[in-house]
Amino acid sequence: MASQFSQQNIKIKTSLLIFLKGSVAPIVLYFDSPEAVYNDIQRVLKETQAPKMIELEAIGPVKKVSLVSSEISGLALQEEQYMVKA
């Protein structure tokens, strides 16, 4: 069966997922450079012994978020496909 969507109209965007202690679902954030934000948060988590406030300004549905570093249980980068109108 042939695909009904043209491959030219399918794009990929990367989102940053932040998993919090005590939360079922992750926070999903979109950035122009999600890999850089991922690396920055990883650096903060590795360096800091005491809890540190992390403030992020994202693009997409969630615009701003503030987190305490001690509440972050994990980070992930996720690629998502989406359609672009022709």
Side-chain angles (χ1 to χ4, degrees):
M1 185 168 155
S3 175
Q4 68 187 52
F5 302 111
S6 169
Q7 288 298 98
Q8 298 169 0
N9 295 346
I10 297 176
K11 302 291 181 188
I12 296 176
K13 61 183 171 183
T14 303
S15 60
L16 174 67
L17 280 63
I18 302 176
F19 297 89
L20 300 176
K21 295 176 183 173
S23 178
V24 176
I27 298 173
V28 180
L29 300 171
Y30 299 94
F31 297 95
D32 290 329
S33 178
E35 293 86 2
V37 177
Y38 174 88
N39 291 331
D40 287 345
I41 296 173
Q42 282 285 27
R43 182 183 45 76
V44 168
L45 294 175
K46 288 178 184 177
E47 290 176 355
T48 308
Q49 296 297 330
K52 184 174 181 182
M53 179 66 73
I54 299 172
E55 294 183 2
L56 302 168
E57 288 194 35
I59 56 177
V62 178
K63 302 293 183 198
K64 280 188 169 185
V65 66
S66 296
L67 308 164
V68 178
S69 62
S70 62
E71 292 300 309
I72 298 174
S73 62
L75 297 172
L77 291 172
Q78 175 177 281
E79 289 185 344
E80 304 171 7
Q81 293 183 350
Y82 67 99
M83 294 289 297
V84 178
K85 292 183 181 179

